[in-house]
mmCIF file of all heavy atoms in Angstrom:
data_model
loop_
_atom_site.group_PDB
_atom_site.id
_atom_site.type_symbol
_atom_site.label_atom_id
_atom_site.label_comp_id
_atom_site.label_asym_id
_atom_site.label_seq_id
_atom_site.Cartn_x
_atom_site.Cartn_y
_atom_site.Cartn_z
ATOM 1 N N LEU A 723 40.301 55.648 136.334
ATOM 2 C CA LEU A 723 41.270 55.247 135.294
ATOM 3 C C LEU A 723 42.732 55.235 135.781
ATOM 4 O O LEU A 723 43.639 55.467 135.037
ATOM 5 C CB LEU A 723 41.161 56.118 134.041
ATOM 6 C CG LEU A 723 39.863 55.986 133.241
ATOM 7 C CD1 LEU A 723 39.869 56.988 132.120
ATOM 8 C CD2 LEU A 723 39.692 54.596 132.726
ATOM 9 N N GLY A 724 42.896 55.033 137.061
ATOM 10 C CA GLY A 724 44.265 54.983 137.617
ATOM 11 C C GLY A 724 44.896 56.335 137.793
ATOM 12 O O GLY A 724 46.109 56.490 137.703
ATOM 13 N N ALA A 725 44.129 57.412 137.978
ATOM 14 C CA ALA A 725 44.708 58.760 138.085
ATOM 15 C C ALA A 725 45.642 58.850 139.283
ATOM 16 O O ALA A 725 45.382 58.229 140.329
ATOM 17 C CB ALA A 725 43.595 59.793 138.202
ATOM 18 N N THR A 726 46.724 59.608 139.154
ATOM 19 C CA THR A 726 47.666 59.735 140.220
ATOM 20 C C THR A 726 47.143 60.705 141.279
ATOM 21 O O THR A 726 46.395 61.639 140.972
ATOM 22 C CB THR A 726 49.020 60.278 139.704
ATOM 23 O OG1 THR A 726 48.814 61.571 139.217
ATOM 24 C CG2 THR A 726 49.592 59.387 138.621
ATOM 25 N N GLU A 727 47.565 60.513 142.518
ATOM 26 C CA GLU A 727 47.105 61.391 143.582
ATOM 27 C C GLU A 727 47.708 62.779 143.475
ATOM 28 O O GLU A 727 47.221 63.708 144.057
ATOM 29 C CB GLU A 727 47.488 60.780 144.954
ATOM 30 C CG GLU A 727 46.724 59.469 145.242
ATOM 31 C CD GLU A 727 47.103 58.927 146.595
ATOM 32 O OE1 GLU A 727 47.942 59.544 147.271
ATOM 33 O OE2 GLU A 727 46.567 57.888 146.995
ATOM 34 N N ASP A 728 48.813 62.921 142.724
ATOM 35 C CA ASP A 728 49.497 64.206 142.608
ATOM 36 C C ASP A 728 48.762 65.194 141.729
ATOM 37 O O ASP A 728 49.002 66.384 141.807
ATOM 38 C CB ASP A 728 50.933 64.014 142.051
ATOM 39 C CG ASP A 728 51.808 63.277 143.041
ATOM 40 O OD1 ASP A 728 51.523 63.361 144.237
ATOM 41 O OD2 ASP A 728 52.779 62.633 142.582
ATOM 42 N N ASP A 729 47.879 64.716 140.859
ATOM 43 C CA ASP A 729 47.162 65.612 139.972
ATOM 44 C C ASP A 729 46.066 66.360 140.728
ATOM 45 O O ASP A 729 45.243 65.741 141.372
ATOM 46 C CB ASP A 729 46.532 64.817 138.812
ATOM 47 C CG ASP A 729 47.560 64.329 137.808
ATOM 48 O OD1 ASP A 729 48.612 64.992 137.695
ATOM 49 O OD2 ASP A 729 47.347 63.304 137.181
ATOM 50 N N PRO A 730 46.054 67.702 140.606
ATOM 51 C CA PRO A 730 45.020 68.461 141.279
ATOM 52 C C PRO A 730 43.638 68.262 140.630
ATOM 53 O O PRO A 730 43.551 68.204 139.383
ATOM 54 C CB PRO A 730 45.472 69.897 141.152
ATOM 55 C CG PRO A 730 46.317 69.912 139.901
ATOM 56 C CD PRO A 730 46.995 68.541 139.860
ATOM 57 N N GLY A 731 42.605 68.160 141.417
ATOM 58 C CA GLY A 731 41.256 68.074 140.894
ATOM 59 C C GLY A 731 40.570 69.427 140.865
ATOM 60 O O GLY A 731 41.160 70.452 141.274
ATOM 61 N N VAL A 732 39.317 69.444 140.426
ATOM 62 C CA VAL A 732 38.565 70.676 140.322
ATOM 63 C C VAL A 732 38.470 71.358 141.684
ATOM 64 O O VAL A 732 38.682 72.579 141.804
ATOM 65 C CB VAL A 732 37.165 70.424 139.741
ATOM 66 C CG1 VAL A 732 36.307 71.652 139.837
ATOM 67 C CG2 VAL A 732 37.261 69.939 138.309
ATOM 68 N N ALA A 733 38.179 70.593 142.709
ATOM 69 C CA ALA A 733 38.021 71.172 144.052
ATOM 70 C C ALA A 733 39.320 71.801 144.566
ATOM 71 O O ALA A 733 39.316 72.883 145.162
ATOM 72 C CB ALA A 733 37.553 70.099 145.023
ATOM 73 N N ASP A 734 40.438 71.136 144.237
ATOM 74 C CA ASP A 734 41.748 71.693 144.667
ATOM 75 C C ASP A 734 42.003 73.026 143.999
ATOM 76 O O ASP A 734 42.439 73.985 144.666
ATOM 77 C CB ASP A 734 42.893 70.721 144.276
ATOM 78 C CG ASP A 734 42.768 69.391 144.966
ATOM 79 O OD1 ASP A 734 42.409 69.370 146.161
ATOM 80 O OD2 ASP A 734 43.030 68.369 144.344
ATOM 81 N N VAL A 735 41.746 73.109 142.691
ATOM 82 C CA VAL A 735 42.022 74.355 141.971
ATOM 83 C C VAL A 735 41.080 75.433 142.453
ATOM 84 O O VAL A 735 41.493 76.573 142.692
ATOM 85 C CB VAL A 735 41.862 74.121 140.444
ATOM 86 C CG1 VAL A 735 42.117 75.459 139.709
ATOM 87 C CG2 VAL A 735 42.800 73.044 139.955
ATOM 88 N N LEU A 736 39.807 75.100 142.617
ATOM 89 C CA LEU A 736 38.804 76.083 143.013
ATOM 90 C C LEU A 736 39.101 76.654 144.375
ATOM 91 O O LEU A 736 38.820 77.829 144.676
ATOM 92 C CB LEU A 736 37.433 75.449 142.958
ATOM 93 C CG LEU A 736 36.217 76.390 143.065
ATOM 94 C CD1 LEU A 736 36.253 77.392 141.913
ATOM 95 C CD2 LEU A 736 34.916 75.570 143.019
ATOM 96 N N ALA A 737 39.701 75.827 145.222
ATOM 97 C CA ALA A 737 39.980 76.252 146.619
ATOM 98 C C ALA A 737 41.314 77.011 146.731
ATOM 99 O O ALA A 737 41.599 77.552 147.807
ATOM 100 C CB ALA A 737 40.010 75.059 147.539
ATOM 101 N N SER A 738 42.080 77.114 145.668
ATOM 102 C CA SER A 738 43.380 77.748 145.749
ATOM 103 C C SER A 738 43.227 79.239 146.095
ATOM 104 O O SER A 738 42.263 79.872 145.679
ATOM 105 C CB SER A 738 44.165 77.607 144.444
ATOM 106 O OG SER A 738 43.508 78.265 143.392
ATOM 107 N N ARG A 739 44.164 79.772 146.870
ATOM 108 C CA ARG A 739 44.074 81.120 147.376
ATOM 109 C C ARG A 739 44.022 82.158 146.217
ATOM 110 O O ARG A 739 43.229 83.079 146.249
ATOM 111 C CB ARG A 739 45.242 81.427 148.295
ATOM 112 C CG ARG A 739 45.250 82.832 148.860
ATOM 113 C CD ARG A 739 46.308 82.969 149.954
ATOM 114 N NE ARG A 739 47.626 82.620 149.419
ATOM 115 C CZ ARG A 739 48.426 83.462 148.755
ATOM 116 N NH1 ARG A 739 48.011 84.694 148.549
ATOM 117 N NH2 ARG A 739 49.618 83.072 148.342
ATOM 118 N N SER A 740 44.860 81.958 145.222
ATOM 119 C CA SER A 740 44.939 82.939 144.133
ATOM 120 C C SER A 740 43.617 82.995 143.351
ATOM 121 O O SER A 740 43.137 84.084 142.998
ATOM 122 C CB SER A 740 46.095 82.610 143.184
ATOM 123 O OG SER A 740 45.918 81.321 142.594
ATOM 124 N N LEU A 741 43.017 81.836 143.075
ATOM 125 C CA LEU A 741 41.772 81.844 142.311
ATOM 126 C C LEU A 741 40.623 82.380 143.175
ATOM 127 O O LEU A 741 39.776 83.141 142.680
ATOM 128 C CB LEU A 741 41.452 80.432 141.824
ATOM 129 C CG LEU A 741 40.162 80.297 140.974
ATOM 130 C CD1 LEU A 741 40.189 81.274 139.823
ATOM 131 C CD2 LEU A 741 39.989 78.862 140.473
ATOM 132 N N GLN A 742 40.582 82.025 144.430
ATOM 133 C CA GLN A 742 39.527 82.506 145.316
ATOM 134 C C GLN A 742 39.575 84.041 145.413
ATOM 135 O O GLN A 742 38.549 84.719 145.360
ATOM 136 C CB GLN A 742 39.642 81.892 146.704
ATOM 137 C CG GLN A 742 39.068 80.512 146.822
ATOM 138 C CD GLN A 742 37.533 80.506 146.689
ATOM 139 O OE1 GLN A 742 36.849 81.339 147.263
ATOM 140 N NE2 GLN A 742 37.038 79.620 145.852
ATOM 141 N N THR A 743 40.753 84.582 145.498
ATOM 142 C CA THR A 743 40.952 86.041 145.564
ATOM 143 C C THR A 743 40.430 86.715 144.286
ATOM 144 O O THR A 743 39.743 87.705 144.315
ATOM 145 C CB THR A 743 42.434 86.405 145.774
ATOM 146 O OG1 THR A 743 42.877 85.834 147.019
ATOM 147 C CG2 THR A 743 42.612 87.906 145.855
ATOM 148 N N ALA A 744 40.785 86.105 143.119
ATOM 149 C CA ALA A 744 40.401 86.667 141.834
ATOM 150 C C ALA A 744 38.875 86.616 141.674
ATOM 151 O O ALA A 744 38.282 87.551 141.156
ATOM 152 C CB ALA A 744 41.083 85.933 140.712
ATOM 153 N N LEU A 745 38.301 85.470 142.029
ATOM 154 C CA LEU A 745 36.818 85.329 141.934
ATOM 155 C C LEU A 745 36.076 86.290 142.823
ATOM 156 O O LEU A 745 35.039 86.879 142.423
ATOM 157 C CB LEU A 745 36.425 83.894 142.201
ATOM 158 C CG LEU A 745 36.942 82.839 141.226
ATOM 159 C CD1 LEU A 745 36.468 81.418 141.661
ATOM 160 C CD2 LEU A 745 36.485 83.097 139.800
ATOM 161 N N GLN A 746 36.576 86.497 144.048
ATOM 162 C CA GLN A 746 35.946 87.407 144.986
ATOM 163 C C GLN A 746 36.023 88.842 144.437
ATOM 164 O O GLN A 746 35.033 89.600 144.534
ATOM 165 C CB GLN A 746 36.623 87.324 146.348
ATOM 166 C CG GLN A 746 35.918 88.169 147.419
ATOM 167 C CD GLN A 746 34.513 87.705 147.710
ATOM 168 O OE1 GLN A 746 34.280 86.572 148.107
ATOM 169 N NE2 GLN A 746 33.533 88.601 147.485
ATOM 170 N N ARG A 747 37.180 89.206 143.883
ATOM 171 C CA ARG A 747 37.323 90.548 143.329
ATOM 172 C C ARG A 747 36.352 90.755 142.157
ATOM 173 O O ARG A 747 35.717 91.795 142.052
ATOM 174 C CB ARG A 747 38.786 90.768 142.831
ATOM 175 C CG ARG A 747 39.024 92.174 142.290
ATOM 176 C CD ARG A 747 40.418 92.301 141.746
ATOM 177 N NE ARG A 747 41.449 91.918 142.715
ATOM 178 C CZ ARG A 747 42.260 90.889 142.553
ATOM 179 N NH1 ARG A 747 42.171 90.134 141.484
ATOM 180 N NH2 ARG A 747 43.147 90.626 143.477
ATOM 181 N N TYR A 748 36.179 89.733 141.319
ATOM 182 C CA TYR A 748 35.270 89.830 140.193
ATOM 183 C C TYR A 748 33.818 89.988 140.718
ATOM 184 O O TYR A 748 33.066 90.801 140.207
ATOM 185 C CB TYR A 748 35.373 88.599 139.312
ATOM 186 C CG TYR A 748 34.412 88.607 138.147
ATOM 187 C CD1 TYR A 748 34.735 89.238 136.950
ATOM 188 C CD2 TYR A 748 33.165 87.998 138.240
ATOM 189 C CE1 TYR A 748 33.852 89.258 135.887
ATOM 190 C CE2 TYR A 748 32.250 87.991 137.188
ATOM 191 C CZ TYR A 748 32.618 88.636 136.016
ATOM 192 O OH TYR A 748 31.725 88.653 134.971
ATOM 193 N N ALA A 749 33.470 89.187 141.700
ATOM 194 C CA ALA A 749 32.105 89.264 142.261
ATOM 195 C C ALA A 749 31.845 90.667 142.843
ATOM 196 O O ALA A 749 30.752 91.216 142.654
ATOM 197 C CB ALA A 749 31.935 88.190 143.339
ATOM 198 N N ASP A 750 32.794 91.223 143.537
ATOM 199 C CA ASP A 750 32.614 92.546 144.151
ATOM 200 C C ASP A 750 32.490 93.629 143.075
ATOM 201 O O ASP A 750 31.618 94.491 143.159
ATOM 202 C CB ASP A 750 33.799 92.882 145.066
ATOM 203 C CG ASP A 750 33.849 91.978 146.306
ATOM 204 O OD1 ASP A 750 32.814 91.337 146.606
ATOM 205 O OD2 ASP A 750 34.919 91.897 146.913
ATOM 206 N N GLU A 751 33.343 93.540 142.047
ATOM 207 C CA GLU A 751 33.353 94.601 141.001
ATOM 208 C C GLU A 751 32.078 94.554 140.147
ATOM 209 O O GLU A 751 31.624 95.577 139.629
ATOM 210 C CB GLU A 751 34.577 94.437 140.102
ATOM 211 C CG GLU A 751 35.901 94.771 140.813
ATOM 212 C CD GLU A 751 37.087 94.505 139.957
ATOM 213 O OE1 GLU A 751 36.912 93.940 138.835
ATOM 214 O OE2 GLU A 751 38.234 94.842 140.375
ATOM 215 N N HIS A 752 31.479 93.353 139.968
ATOM 216 C CA HIS A 752 30.332 93.221 139.094
ATOM 217 C C HIS A 752 29.033 93.016 139.897
ATOM 218 O O HIS A 752 27.981 92.759 139.283
ATOM 219 C CB HIS A 752 30.534 92.040 138.111
ATOM 220 C CG HIS A 752 31.635 92.296 137.122
ATOM 221 N ND1 HIS A 752 32.953 92.127 137.434
ATOM 222 C CD2 HIS A 752 31.580 92.750 135.813
ATOM 223 C CE1 HIS A 752 33.697 92.431 136.366
ATOM 224 N NE2 HIS A 752 32.891 92.806 135.398
ATOM 225 N N HIS A 753 29.138 93.076 141.195
ATOM 226 C CA HIS A 753 27.953 92.989 142.067
ATOM 227 C C HIS A 753 27.184 91.709 141.793
ATOM 228 O O HIS A 753 25.946 91.675 141.602
ATOM 229 C CB HIS A 753 27.047 94.216 141.858
ATOM 230 C CG HIS A 753 27.762 95.517 141.975
ATOM 231 N ND1 HIS A 753 28.249 95.980 143.184
ATOM 232 C CD2 HIS A 753 28.087 96.456 141.024
ATOM 233 C CE1 HIS A 753 28.860 97.148 142.981
ATOM 234 N NE2 HIS A 753 28.759 97.450 141.686
ATOM 235 N N VAL A 754 27.916 90.611 141.775
ATOM 236 C CA VAL A 754 27.382 89.273 141.541
ATOM 237 C C VAL A 754 27.641 88.431 142.782
ATOM 238 O O VAL A 754 28.730 88.524 143.360
ATOM 239 C CB VAL A 754 28.020 88.597 140.300
ATOM 240 C CG1 VAL A 754 27.437 87.236 140.055
ATOM 241 C CG2 VAL A 754 27.870 89.482 139.066
ATOM 242 N N PRO A 755 26.710 87.611 143.207
ATOM 243 C CA PRO A 755 26.957 86.716 144.372
ATOM 244 C C PRO A 755 28.187 85.844 144.121
ATOM 245 O O PRO A 755 28.292 85.236 143.052
ATOM 246 C CB PRO A 755 25.671 85.914 144.513
ATOM 247 C CG PRO A 755 24.631 86.743 143.858
ATOM 248 C CD PRO A 755 25.312 87.448 142.719
ATOM 249 N N ILE A 756 29.052 85.719 145.094
ATOM 250 C CA ILE A 756 30.262 84.929 144.940
ATOM 251 C C ILE A 756 29.902 83.457 144.640
ATOM 252 O O ILE A 756 30.634 82.765 143.959
ATOM 253 C CB ILE A 756 31.156 85.016 146.209
ATOM 254 C CG1 ILE A 756 32.458 84.254 145.973
ATOM 255 C CG2 ILE A 756 30.432 84.518 147.444
ATOM 256 C CD1 ILE A 756 33.299 84.726 144.834
ATOM 257 N N THR A 757 28.752 83.000 145.173
ATOM 258 C CA THR A 757 28.366 81.607 144.912
ATOM 259 C C THR A 757 28.087 81.365 143.444
ATOM 260 O O THR A 757 28.414 80.318 142.872
ATOM 261 C CB THR A 757 27.120 81.249 145.754
ATOM 262 O OG1 THR A 757 26.080 82.218 145.491
ATOM 263 C CG2 THR A 757 27.416 81.223 147.216
ATOM 264 N N ASP A 758 27.481 82.379 142.776
ATOM 265 C CA ASP A 758 27.236 82.261 141.329
ATOM 266 C C ASP A 758 28.570 82.222 140.564
ATOM 267 O O ASP A 758 28.735 81.469 139.603
ATOM 268 C CB ASP A 758 26.382 83.423 140.839
ATOM 269 C CG ASP A 758 24.972 83.345 141.387
ATOM 270 O OD1 ASP A 758 24.629 82.328 142.011
ATOM 271 O OD2 ASP A 758 24.204 84.314 141.157
ATOM 272 N N VAL A 759 29.494 83.102 140.954
ATOM 273 C CA VAL A 759 30.799 83.158 140.266
ATOM 274 C C VAL A 759 31.544 81.835 140.473
ATOM 275 O O VAL A 759 32.153 81.286 139.516
ATOM 276 C CB VAL A 759 31.626 84.337 140.767
ATOM 277 C CG1 VAL A 759 32.998 84.358 140.070
ATOM 278 C CG2 VAL A 759 30.894 85.637 140.536
ATOM 279 N N GLU A 760 31.535 81.329 141.667
ATOM 280 C CA GLU A 760 32.218 80.039 141.935
ATOM 281 C C GLU A 760 31.580 78.907 141.160
ATOM 282 O O GLU A 760 32.266 78.011 140.669
ATOM 283 C CB GLU A 760 32.172 79.736 143.433
ATOM 284 C CG GLU A 760 33.112 80.634 144.254
ATOM 285 C CD GLU A 760 33.057 80.300 145.737
ATOM 286 O OE1 GLU A 760 31.993 79.726 146.168
ATOM 287 O OE2 GLU A 760 34.029 80.574 146.463
#
Side-chain angles (χ1 to χ4, degrees):
L723 293 176
T726 64
E727 293 182 359
D728 292 334
D729 287 331
V732 171
D734 298 320
V735 180
L736 193 58
S738 64
R739 179 171 56 85
S740 61
L741 181 54
Q742 279 292 315
T743 300
L745 295 179
Q746 185 64 60
R747 184 184 304 116
Y748 178 86
D750 292 342
E751 291 175 354
H752 292 81
H753 309 291
V754 180
I756 184 61
T757 53
D758 291 352
V759 178
E760 287 181 336

